[in-house]
Amino acid sequence: MMTNVADNRAGVPMESQDEVLVDREDGVLVITINRPHARNSVTRSASEGIARALDELDVDRDLTVGIITGAGGNFCAGMDLKAFAARGEDPSLPGRGFVGLTEALPRKPLIAAVEGYALAGGCEVVLACDLVVAGQGAKLGIPEVKRGLTAAAGGLHRLPERIPRNVAMELALTGDMMTAERAYQLGLVNEVTEDGQALIAAKALAARIGGNGPLAIVASKRVIVDYPTWSTAEIWERQREITDVINASADAKEGARAFAEKRPPRWQGR
């Protein structure tokens, strides 16, 4: 059921209640930026709503995967420049970054379902996600330089981690956009769909993930995200600190039993 993220949260201003919508279904939390009149550019209150939804994803044992998308045919055009120009409004949250995500990644997998424009902060949200599905008409880029700004929500270091350095440099210095197909060729996008089908495909991808052991999913993401900060000497020890407890868990034993008995596993998350 699609709900307003503020329905059961105290302290959210009434005017922001429809800026973020949340849908829970079959262990998947879909977060929709709901400002289509402004190409889903993000206000401070929208960032706060998304942050609360991401917290819900991480703490709710019934949720395995998150999806973030935008309403009305666009993903997100970054911060609301009108609010920035008029009031100096900063949509980044202390310690968490843009939309409460770019500096504080969730423990659980997060998929970006991209239609239309994913620009500036919107592209940086995509870069903070673990997997990306995009409609064929989607366009991604960090055009901040065109407005005398810098892509300070992760674009300048995550983009060259995800695509070749020279291509990332070109995008950062020119502010030009790239198509979904080009992003797919470079490995930034996992799947390109017909326009209007990105969310459907993202839900199908989430279902493929969600059928697996929840503890193993979180641990696998953690190793992939954390290992670049480990030295060569410590990589195996640091990995074992995360994976040994998972491989000795009740879920690991259940997975083996289910395989032997030719039945779907019944995960308990322990």
Side-chain angles (χ1 to χ4, degrees):
M1 179 178 68
M2 185 73 77
T3 63
N4 179 304
V5 76
D7 284 349
N8 58 359
R9 307 289 183 184
V12 179
M14 290 297 292
E15 64 270 20
S16 71
Q17 285 191 355
D18 294 329
E19 291 188 340
V20 179
L21 304 175
V22 175
D23 179 21
R24 299 169 57 103
E25 183 179 351
D26 297 328
V28 178
L29 189 76
V30 179
I31 305 166
T32 303
I33 307 170
N34 187 39
R35 303 188 75 238
H37 61 284
R39 291 183 177 173
N40 297 317
S41 60
V42 174
T43 61
R44 177 71 176 222
S45 57
S47 277
E48 291 168 349
I50 295 166
R52 281 191 290 272
L54 291 170
D55 286 345
E56 182 179 348
L57 170 66
D58 264 355
V59 302
D60 193 323
R61 290 169 59 92
D62 293 330
L63 295 171
T64 306
V65 184
I67 298 173
I68 186 165
T69 192
N74 285 298
F75 182 75
C76 173
M79 72 173 177
D80 188 323
L81 287 175
K82 291 182 180 179
F84 177 75
R87 303 184 296 277
E89 181 179 281
D90 184 358
S92 294
L93 305 181
R96 301 192 60 149
F98 188 66
V99 307
L101 168 65
T102 56
E103 296 178 31
L105 306 181
R107 295 185 306 110
K108 297 177 184 177
L110 186 62
I111 303 170
V114 182
E115 302 279 359
Y117 291 112
L119 301 177
C123 185
E124 290 171 302
V125 169
V126 171
L127 292 170
C129 291
D130 302 297
L131 301 161
V132 185
V133 178
Q136 61 185 5
K139 292 182 171 59
L140 302 92
I142 47 173
E144 281 87 345
V145 291
K146 293 181 180 290
R147 299 291 178 263
L149 301 168
T150 57
L156 297 179
H157 62 83
R158 286 197 173 112
L159 196 57
E161 291 174 351
R162 305 283 283 275
I163 66 175
R165 178 184 181 276
N166 284 8
V167 180
M169 187 71 77
E170 179 182 347
L171 291 170
L173 300 184
T174 65
D176 291 345
M177 297 181 288
M178 63 178 165
T179 64
E181 184 60 36
R182 176 65 168 152
Y184 174 77
Q185 292 168 356
L186 293 169
L188 175 58
V189 168
N190 296 81
E191 181 180 353
V192 178
T193 72
E194 295 293 326
D195 287 337
Q197 300 299 302
L199 180 56
I200 293 172
K203 287 181 177 180
L205 179 56
R208 287 163 52 200
I209 296 169
N212 300 320
L215 298 179
I217 290 169
V218 170
S220 296
K221 172 177 173 173
R222 182 179 172 190
V223 171
I224 290 173
V225 170
D226 289 355
Y227 92 88
T229 67
W230 301 338
S231 70
T232 302
E234 67 181 354
I235 187 168
W236 292 107
E237 180 181 355
R238 295 291 296 275
Q239 177 176 287
R240 281 192 288 269
E241 290 173 358
I242 298 169
T243 59
D244 281 3
V245 66
I246 306 302
N247 295 337
S249 68
D251 274 0
K253 295 179 177 64
E254 166 61 12
R257 282 195 299 269
F259 176 81
E261 296 169 7
K262 296 181 172 57
R263 59 170 175 79
R266 295 183 289 271
W267 307 120
Q268 300 179 56
R270 60 182 181 85

